[in-house]
Amino acid sequence: MKGEGKRNNAKCWAYVAAFVVFQTAIILIFALTVMRIRTPKVRFAAVSVENFNTGNSTSPFFDMKLMAQVTVKNTNFGHYKYENSTIKILYGGNQVGEAAVVKARARARQTKKFDVTIDISSTSLSSNSNLGNDIASGVLPLSSQAKLEGKVHLMKVIKRKKSSEMSCTMGINLGTRAVQDLNCK
Ligand SMILES: *[C@@H]1O[C@H](CO)[C@@H](O)[C@H](O)[C@H]1NC(C)=O
Ligand SMILES: *[C@@H]1O[C@H](CO)[C@@H](O)[C@H](O)[C@H]1NC(C)=O
């Protein structure tokens, strides 16, 4: 009788130990997936050009409208709420256009998509820019920058500040009037 009691006791402890290991594993998996807060990614998914107008290599200028689809990819298990912001378009490090991003939220594990139109023009560039050479080469190199400041909300109690930065480069092909080599970090 006494020996059997000991055996049952040992069995019981084994169950408890197994349960504790199991619980720990569940908590660990939860912490590493659901509770892990990742930085949302903002980028241009696609860009096209309208109202295209450019000069030549001796009298260089550009003036056009970019139609861009922006994506905010939120892989968190809670929504991402971001504030008003701006997307800037740069040529040779100088701003040539900008568009407003209105505050919104990207739902949990969702990629939010919206469109912006950005008028860009070379009027603010100094005359000693490289524009004549770029126009002669047939491709206008541009880059874009934006910073979304916001918070990831998890399970109604956790709020974590996360800012998401866009940094893309692209070339406007002056022959085809299409955007090529769109590349976002
Ligand atoms: C460049 O454009 C200007 C203004 O339109 C024009 O006067 C000039 O002839 C053009 N030059 C060439 C090489 O096409
Ligand atoms: C955000 O932008 C919208 C639209 O431009 C504007 O009405 C609103 O006042 C802005 N909100 C803040 C907090 O700046």
Side-chain angles (χ1 to χ4, degrees):
M1 277 311 262
K2 213 169 183 195
E4 196 163 280
K6 237 181 199 163
R7 254 202 312 279
N8 278 342
N9 226 358
K11 224 180 199 175
C12 183
W13 281 114
Y15 282 135
V16 169
F19 184 71
V20 167
V21 168
F22 177 72
Q23 278 292 314
T24 309
I26 294 286
I27 289 167
L28 215 61
I29 289 167
F30 190 72
L32 291 178
T33 56
V34 176
M35 301 303 290
R36 206 178 123 216
I37 297 182
R38 300 164 187 83
T39 304
K41 288 202 173 77
V42 57
R43 46 171 53 206
F44 280 152
V47 185
S48 60
V49 185
E50 274 185 11
N51 302 344
F52 181 94
N53 197 6
T54 59
N56 58 31
S57 58
T58 45
S59 101
F61 74 93
F62 63 84
D63 193 345
M64 64 190 82
K65 195 188 279 285
L66 300 183
M67 324 283 289
Q69 186 183 60
V70 183
T71 57
V72 181
K73 186 178 181 187
N74 176 26
T75 56
N76 292 295
F77 284 81
H79 69 262
Y80 176 55
K81 204 171 164 186
Y82 56 87
E83 299 303 322
N84 281 356
S85 181
T86 50
I87 296 176
K88 291 179 180 137
I89 304 293
L90 310 175
Y91 167 79
N94 299 299
Q95 185 173 332
V96 292
E98 68 171 32
V101 174
V102 180
K103 64 177 180 180
R105 64 167 68 181
R107 294 218 301 266
R109 301 190 63 71
Q110 208 194 42
T111 299
K112 186 180 177 64
K113 298 185 177 120
F114 58 91
D115 295 322
V116 292
T117 60
I118 312 169
D119 289 312
I120 63 167
S121 109
S122 57
T123 51
S124 65
L125 296 176
S126 67
S127 55
N128 61 9
S129 75
N130 199 35
L131 191 53
N133 291 334
D134 282 333
I135 286 181
S137 81
V139 179
L140 183 65
L142 297 175
S143 60
S144 69
Q145 281 179 359
K147 186 174 185 185
L148 296 189
E149 309 250 21
K151 283 180 187 150
V152 173
H153 294 234
L154 261 189
M155 304 196 305
K156 302 208 188 293
V157 283
I158 299 167
K159 287 182 195 170
R160 180 82 54 81
K161 270 191 188 165
K162 278 284 170 194
S163 63
S164 166
E165 288 188 47
M166 172 201 270
S167 173
C168 303
T169 57
M170 69 195 101
I172 313 260
N173 187 310
L174 304 179
T176 61
R177 303 187 172 191
V179 172
Q180 62 185 37
D181 304 324
L182 174 61
N183 215 312
C184 296
K185 269 191 263 179

